[in-house]
Amino acid sequence: MSKIIPSSELIINSDGSVFHLHLRPEQLTDRIILVGDPGRVDMVASFFDEKLFEVSSREFHTIGGTYRGKPIMCLSHGIGPDNIDIVINELDALANIDFTTREVKPEHRTLHMVRIGTSGALQPELKLGTPVIAEKAIGFDGVLNYYAGRNEVADLDFEHDMCDSVGWNPLWAKPYVVDADPHLVELIGRDDMVRGNTISAVGFYGPQGRELRLPLANPDLNRRIEQFSHKGRRITNYEMESAPLQGLARLMGHKAMTVCSIIANRVCNDATPNYKTAIHDLVGTVLDRI
């Protein structure tokens, strides 16, 4: 017998849409572009051949349509790993739960999700505007630790090595390391992109080593991260969403990856707020390859 999901666990709105995203199952496409900024959805959709629907709810803005004749949608997830937990669970529910009977469907539907974002570099050679694929994503957020099977999808050797090397504070959530889907990486990654190892932080300021008025508990952490290497792999950049995206996708049987444009270099103390052209070009590249 199929598992039946209670209404308290999966809230379905009166119009048949899922609780937060306000999307209905028939609107879901197999290829999904994810962005943080709700306003960026319009820019992505400007590439589409046609727009078939548009839905907005809180920070979740979705436009569905076609690109080169194939169905596709762009969805904004807002900022942070907690939002990714909502988005991926609700997208999976739309794909793999019957909203009429609340039963898990017997045939699994696989989604292909690519997040396009912005990021801060942790290595001096990464210049502003460089696209970096999170080939490995390192979650400092702890989201994946709440799900069974976490160890089966994580690179435990990388985790243990990093925690020992940087002197991980036991007050913080245990890090997890998850690979991007290799098929998507090969499909989208070319010589014009760096294959990196990306930290997903739980915040923008203190959790990424930024100090304004409040002093940091471990002010030396970023220097240790920059110097760390595991089997020749150095940590390349910071952002806030790639690890829970890739981890939850792997647990649920979906394909996911993140590619970010570098808009700041934390080592060189360099940054640009004028990154929209680089993001526009990156969106076009991903759409051509997905």
Side-chain angles (χ1 to χ4, degrees):
M1 183 177 178
S2 297
K3 180 179 180 180
I4 297 177
I5 311 298
S7 59
S8 60
E9 309 306 286
L10 174 63
I11 301 173
I12 299 174
N13 300 316
S14 58
D15 64 353
S17 64
V18 72
F19 185 57
H20 295 93
L21 304 185
H22 277 250
L23 293 172
R24 300 189 306 275
E26 65 268 22
Q27 294 173 314
L28 184 68
T29 61
D30 290 338
R31 297 184 307 153
I32 304 169
I33 301 295
L34 297 169
V35 295
D37 183 358
R40 196 173 296 157
V41 174
D42 291 296
M43 186 267 284
V44 175
S46 70
F47 286 83
F48 292 178
D49 306 326
E50 58 178 342
K51 302 175 189 177
L52 300 176
F53 69 86
E54 182 170 5
V55 177
S56 288
S57 173
R58 309 185 194 193
E59 60 265 64
F60 309 117
H61 178 202
T62 307
I63 296 178
T66 61
Y67 182 75
R68 296 188 173 178
K70 297 180 180 180
I72 195 166
M73 57 191 282
C74 181
L75 164 64
S76 64
H77 51 67
I79 298 175
D82 51 339
N83 279 14
I84 294 296
D85 181 64
I86 291 171
V87 168
I88 304 309
N89 271 285
E90 293 196 359
L91 287 175
D92 178 73
L94 289 164
N96 292 301
I97 296 173
D98 186 315
F99 274 32
T100 301
T101 65
R102 294 185 165 273
E103 290 182 308
V104 175
K105 295 177 181 178
E107 298 294 328
H108 181 269
R109 180 179 176 184
T110 301
L111 304 177
H112 298 71
M113 298 174 283
V114 177
R115 185 180 107 74
I116 302 172
T118 57
S119 183
L122 287 169
Q123 300 299 333
E125 69 273 13
L126 289 176
K127 297 180 180 179
L128 302 184
T130 301
V132 177
I133 291 174
E135 193 167 35
K136 284 186 181 291
I138 304 139
F140 283 7
D141 51 271
V143 166
L144 208 66
N145 300 338
Y146 290 88
Y147 292 91
R150 168 252 199 251
N151 284 0
E152 281 67 44
V153 300
D155 185 336
L156 301 180
D157 287 342
F158 194 119
E159 291 177 18
H160 296 153
D161 191 8
M162 188 198 70
C163 288
D164 289 344
S165 296
V166 305
W168 191 253
N169 190 326
L171 294 176
W172 300 335
K174 179 177 174 58
Y176 58 94
V177 180
V178 186
D179 290 346
D181 179 77
H183 169 74
L184 281 180
V185 171
E186 289 301 319
L187 191 66
I188 291 171
R190 308 281 172 83
D191 292 341
D192 54 354
M193 296 181 184
V194 172
R195 298 190 181 190
N197 306 289
T198 302
I199 292 173
S200 293
V202 72
F204 185 78
Y205 289 98
Q208 293 188 38
R210 289 184 172 92
E211 184 173 325
L212 302 185
R213 289 203 318 113
L214 290 179
L216 301 174
N218 290 67
D220 197 38
L221 179 63
N222 273 7
R223 183 189 64 81
R224 295 184 182 186
I225 290 172
E226 292 156 18
Q227 295 176 351
F228 168 71
S229 177
H230 175 75
K231 297 180 179 178
R233 286 182 171 272
R234 295 183 301 165
I235 295 175
T236 48
N237 56 313
Y238 261 127
E239 48 82 85
M240 296 174 64
E241 293 91 11
S242 62
L245 166 62
Q246 294 174 190
L248 290 172
R250 286 177 67 90
L251 286 176
M252 295 176 185
H254 301 300
K255 299 179 182 297
M257 64 164 281
T258 291
V259 57
C260 287
S261 180
I262 297 298
I263 67 168
N265 190 299
R266 303 294 303 285
V267 181
C268 303
N269 294 318
D270 194 12
T272 175
N274 303 313
Y275 55 84
K276 292 185 179 180
T277 299
I279 288 291
H280 185 276
D281 293 343
L282 182 56
V283 166
T285 299
V286 169
L287 286 172
D288 285 342
R289 296 176 184 176
I290 190 174

